[in-house]
Amino acid sequence: MLKTELLEIIANGENSGVEFKRDDIRPEQLAKEVVAMANFQGGKLLLGVEDDGTISGIQRPNLEEWVMNVMQDKIHPLILPFYEEIKQDDGKSVAVISFPQGISKPYVVRDKGKEEIYIRVGSTSRLATREQQMRLFELGGMLHTEVMPVPRTDMSCLDDARLTNYLKDILRDPDIPNSPEAWQARLLGLSFLTEAAGNIYCTIAGLVLFGKNPRRYLKQAGLRVLAFKTQDKEYQAELDEILDGPMVGRWDIDDSGKRLVDGGVIERFMDAIGPFISQEAGEIDEGLRRETQWFYPLEAVREALINALAHRDWTRFVEIEVGSYADRFEVISPGALPNSMTIEKMKAGQRSPRNTLIMEVLRDYSYVDFRGMGVRTKIVPLTRALTGKEPEFVVTDDYLKTTLYR
């Protein structure tokens, strides 16, 4: 790092990715700041700089060795930072400890027989709340929320007809359970049910895929579908509906093909949004019909919705929101991208499913293709071909928003 770069960082002050400290900091305090930033988006810790940005310089002998020992003794899993010392014109030096966002979250501080998880909030490092810890465990792949039990549920909350359809017609399973006990055993094996504290509950995956009324027990399930005539949300929407029910449809499959018997949330959504993302042609064609003109490619619309259903973060207590506006179509999926995934990796075709069980069931039904590259093979090229515009992906700590422009 150049001196000019360091001075610019100091001039901009502390933020969520930059922390100033004297080099007489205690080992557990250094570990706390590193852990908090690693659990967020990574950052830089400057030793030898006062809180007000004054450079006091480093005094501790063998500082690099001391820092590395703190990393090894106090932080778990191990973080290997980049260490450098930048000497100023007045002879004082600043140590810069740099590290990227951690890929093995949550990182913890080990001190006095305890493990504590910290996160970065603005320019401060704080103990993570229970909900924040859940998200970190989930991001690190150590907590699979889709197989967690849903309180107040049992096997009767699931749609028998859809489960039979799934095993018999979708999976072609030759051994269909013939008693409640056999069904319970099979559904436990499939992780649609789980046992906790001596009771049997639906898992989140089982409930949202096959539940009769998932939102009755899981308020963030389902979809909120909105439609507006303008480019912004108005008080009076043309459509404002919550869709509840099993995610998958019930299908009749025989030698002649596959026929939908009873639509799930995916099919009901496409029916509900259709009138707001299309119009009839002004002229009658040679078959004496008015052709429907679509503002967006239907496959891209469907893929954006299915991505949200498959990858949403179940630790977020809000439903997926889908909106049709005068100039665009938006899908807002709760939760940031899984751990090391980025928009660039997603567009390149890299796969990192958050909810692998839900994803596999959707793939069984052919809602998701076996490549799992819907962004690269459907959303981007189909939108570009129909509208001449690139789809937009915006990710924050709270949501992923996919926008198709009309």
Side-chain angles (χ1 to χ4, degrees):
M1 178 183 292
L2 300 175
K3 286 188 293 185
T4 53
E5 293 178 284
L6 174 64
L7 294 174
E8 183 178 354
I9 291 172
I10 294 173
N12 288 331
E14 294 179 317
N15 54 48
S16 59
V18 175
E19 179 71 24
F20 303 156
K21 289 294 178 186
R22 295 164 57 97
D23 76 338
D24 59 359
I25 184 174
R26 300 189 312 276
E28 61 272 18
Q29 185 66 27
L30 173 67
K32 169 185 170 181
E33 303 298 346
V34 171
V35 160
M37 285 191 277
N39 279 332
F40 185 51
Q41 294 179 344
K44 299 181 186 298
L45 184 63
L46 277 53
L47 296 182
V49 181
E50 306 288 331
D51 288 340
D52 63 1
T54 302
I55 297 178
S56 53
I58 57 177
Q59 310 295 328
R60 188 189 296 269
N62 301 318
L63 180 60
E64 181 177 2
E65 182 181 354
W66 180 79
V67 167
M68 295 306 173
N69 285 337
V70 171
M71 294 283 184
Q72 182 173 350
D73 297 340
K74 298 288 185 184
I75 297 175
H76 182 77
L78 178 65
I79 294 174
L80 295 176
F82 179 73
Y83 179 95
E84 56 184 329
E85 294 183 6
I86 314 298
K87 193 169 185 178
Q88 304 302 298
D89 293 336
D90 60 3
K92 296 178 181 177
S93 294
V94 173
V96 181
I97 306 167
S98 306
F99 43 91
Q101 176 180 180
I103 60 172
S104 300
K105 298 175 183 177
Y107 291 88
V108 302
V109 176
R110 287 180 166 174
D111 185 49
K112 297 177 183 177
K114 297 189 300 182
E115 289 191 349
E116 294 181 319
I117 301 173
Y118 291 89
I119 59 165
R120 198 72 174 167
V121 180
S123 60
T124 63
S125 300
R126 303 178 185 177
L127 279 170
T129 65
R130 181 174 177 272
E131 184 183 43
Q132 289 165 339
Q133 289 184 35
M134 283 181 62
R135 290 175 187 163
L136 289 171
F137 277 108
E138 197 264 349
L139 285 170
M142 299 175 68
L143 174 67
H144 299 284
T145 53
E146 64 175 342
V147 294
M148 291 177 64
V150 181
R152 302 182 295 116
T153 63
D154 56 34
M155 192 168 68
S156 68
C157 299
L158 303 181
D159 186 325
D160 295 340
R162 273 178 171 75
L163 287 169
T164 300
N165 184 226
Y166 176 59
L167 294 183
K168 180 181 178 182
D169 300 311
I170 303 299
L171 295 185
R172 304 284 185 175
D173 190 327
D175 182 19
I176 305 302
N178 57 11
S179 70
E181 294 75 19
W183 268 110
Q184 178 175 292
R186 180 68 61 83
L187 297 179
L188 283 167
L190 290 169
S191 293
F192 299 154
L193 295 177
T194 188
E195 185 173 358
N199 295 313
I200 302 297
Y201 300 95
C202 297
T203 61
I204 289 177
L207 189 67
V208 298
L209 286 166
F210 300 103
K212 300 170 186 174
N213 303 106
R215 283 179 62 86
R216 181 176 177 183
Y217 310 97
L218 192 68
K219 295 302 181 185
Q220 64 266 46
L223 303 172
R224 186 179 185 192
V225 188
L226 301 160
F228 300 92
K229 287 184 177 180
T230 64
Q231 296 182 14
D232 300 300
K233 286 184 178 178
E234 295 178 332
Y235 178 73
Q236 187 66 40
E238 292 185 286
L239 175 68
D240 186 352
E241 184 178 352
I242 298 286
L243 298 183
D244 187 22
M247 196 180 291
V248 300
R250 186 158 59 92
W251 300 83
D252 184 16
I253 302 176
D254 55 29
D255 294 339
S256 63
K258 184 177 177 182
R259 181 175 60 87
L260 182 66
V261 176
D262 183 13
V265 163
I266 295 170
E267 290 81 20
R268 289 170 55 202
F269 163 77
M270 295 302 291
D271 290 340
I273 202 67
F276 302 97
I277 60 171
S278 66
Q279 66 181 9
E280 287 190 345
E283 299 178 354
I284 297 175
D285 63 18
E286 58 187 23
L288 301 180
R289 291 176 297 184
R290 294 185 187 275
E291 184 180 352
T292 300
Q293 298 177 334
W294 298 96
F295 305 143
Y296 314 95
L298 284 183
E299 277 295 298
V301 169
R302 188 170 180 268
E303 189 69 25
L305 172 76
I306 290 172
N307 279 351
L309 292 169
H311 301 299
R312 67 150 296 158
D313 180 354
W314 290 105
T315 68
R316 307 280 176 163
F317 297 100
V318 292
E319 65 271 319
I320 296 166
E321 182 179 302
V322 185
S324 172
Y325 299 86
D327 63 333
R328 69 194 187 282
F329 171 83
E330 289 182 351
V331 178
I332 300 176
S333 178
L337 291 172
N339 210 1
S340 60
M341 180 60 72
T342 64
I343 289 174
E344 290 71 26
K345 291 178 181 178
M346 183 175 69
K347 291 168 73 173
Q350 188 173 130
R351 289 157 287 185
S352 180
R354 187 196 304 273
N355 304 302
T356 53
L357 178 56
I358 293 174
M359 188 72 169
E360 286 302 317
V361 173
L362 292 178
R363 185 173 284 125
D364 290 336
Y365 280 89
S366 299
Y367 289 114
V368 176
D369 69 28
F370 280 85
R371 293 171 298 173
M373 296 173 59
V375 171
R376 181 169 181 82
T377 62
K378 293 180 181 177
I379 294 178
V380 173
L382 295 178
T383 302
R384 184 190 297 145
L386 180 68
T387 69
K389 301 172 184 176
E390 294 290 324
E392 182 179 69
F393 304 94
V394 176
V395 64
T396 73
D397 292 335
D398 297 313
Y399 62 81
L400 169 67
K401 179 167 70 174
T402 301
T403 303
L404 311 182
Y405 290 99
R406 181 164 163 169

